[in-house]
Amino acid sequence: MLITMKVDASTQATDSVIDMLTTRGFEIHTIRSSGAAVIGVNGKPIPEDLAPSLHTVDGIDYVQMNPHKYPLTARASRPHGTVVQVGDTMIGGDLPAIIAGPCVVEARDQLLSIAHDVKRHGATLLRGGAFKPRTSPYSFQGHGELGLEMLADVREQTGLPVVTEVMEPGQVEMVAHYADVLQIGSRNMMNFPLLRAVSTIDKPVLLKRGFASTIEEWLQSAEYILAGGNDRVILCERGIRSFDQSTRFALDLNAVPLLRELTHLPVVVDPSHGTGRREMVAPMSAAGIAAGAHGLIIEVHPEPDEALCDGPQSIHVDDLAEIVQKAHAISSLMHAPEPIAVPA
Ligand code: PEP
Ligand code: MN
């Protein structure tokens, strides 16, 4: 059962609903960090008369007896959508959020110079991996905690909040200490202990889609994070594996409008991993925004062919400027209140 409190319900009203249900032996998951509080009720069979009796309780807006497989993540639990704020950036609002940076943090000076460049070109968040999930154990695995220190240092110098990957539950505390947003990579979308570990932290999570996962599986992974109390989750479509090997992955832009319907969480698109080819990053960025994405996460490098990871899909950092301009132009077209005149 899912109980949605009124937007103006007091904390005491929410607490007293939780107390009443806990006393009756139900297991409760609550989210209340933004908008209306939502209370998930589990744990034992719910008597038929419970829902009707709750309708009259102070502060309750509505009760769903048989909610979705992902009740807290479903659009119905927060029809107006969730906006995740990171620094001054709103992810989930009308302006596209641009996250850019190298695949992997390589060197401090280089990261600083990339950060200045992406900021100048309109990015408001910096990405960069310190712990990298590499297919081969012989590939560069990232600088680990030193990479996190570099990211934090560059944030201090540029003001750009940082997004970086966490791969294991045991690393969550350390990564959360340095990062502004914790990324869960495609390969870990179904790492349930990791999802549980990030569900109790006070930092937003960028949850990438597993490259062989359905949208329903992905939303249930998000549900783990919300169920643990962290509702600041950003979904990232980053491509799925297809029979066709012409591109590294197939960026599934169907996911974007579908997610906008199915969930209240913000959605960003990763055209770098989604294509694997730098010449496709600009058109697929534009397409992602046109499909309704709330932002983009893009790999950039000052010398893409020399990058230590994902060079073929990294654009030159200066090519970001035009992508950002077009993203804003397309987004404002998509949000235009009046129909745009078609040329005669
Ligand atoms: C990355 O962002 O560099 C990355 C490893 O992404 P994904 O998990 O989508 O492959
Ligand atoms: Mn990468």
Side-chain angles (χ1 to χ4, degrees), residues 75-93:
R75 168 66 69 176
S77 87
R78 199 174 281 162
H80 301 300
T82 292
V83 177
V84 176
Q85 180 166 4
V86 188
D88 296 333
T89 304
M90 303 291 178
I91 308 176

Side-chain angles (χ1 to χ4, degrees), residues 89-163:
T89 304
M90 303 291 178
I91 308 176
D94 284 354
L95 288 180
I98 309 292
I99 310 167
C103 177
V104 60
V105 172
E106 298 182 6
R108 197 178 297 261
D109 288 353
Q110 184 205 62
L111 186 68
L112 181 61
S113 135
I114 294 174
H116 281 303
D117 288 344
V118 299
K119 186 172 179 180
R120 188 159 44 85
H121 296 323
T124 54
L125 286 102
L126 177 68
R127 63 147 291 149
F131 293 97
K132 293 301 301 177
R134 302 306 300 273
T135 305
S136 164
Y138 305 116
S139 301
F140 179 48
Q141 307 284 310
H143 287 302
E145 189 166 4
L146 177 63
L148 297 176
E149 282 171 19
M150 293 185 205
L151 284 162
D153 182 15
V154 167
R155 173 188 50 224
E156 295 318 309
Q157 299 193 52
T158 61
L160 285 182
V162 300
V163 182

Side-chain angles (χ1 to χ4, degrees), residues 207-220:
L207 178 63
K208 293 190 122 189
R209 180 180 184 178
F211 54 70
S213 294
T214 65
I215 286 174
E216 190 173 280
E217 287 164 344
W218 186 12
L219 291 171
Q220 289 180 96

Side-chain angles (χ1 to χ4, degrees), residues 102-104 127 129 132-133 165 183-188 206 208-209 211 236 238-239 248-249 270 273 297 299 309-310 313:
C103 177
V104 60
R127 63 147 291 149
K132 293 301 301 177
E165 179 157 356
Q183 172 173 323
I184 296 202
S186 189
R187 291 150 190 83
N188 274 317
L206 182 98
K208 293 190 122 189
R209 180 180 184 178
F211 54 70
C236 174
R238 51 78 70 212
R248 186 179 180 199
F249 292 99
D270 174 350
H273 295 85
I297 177 164
E299 289 186 339
C309 184
D310 286 349
Q313 68 195 35

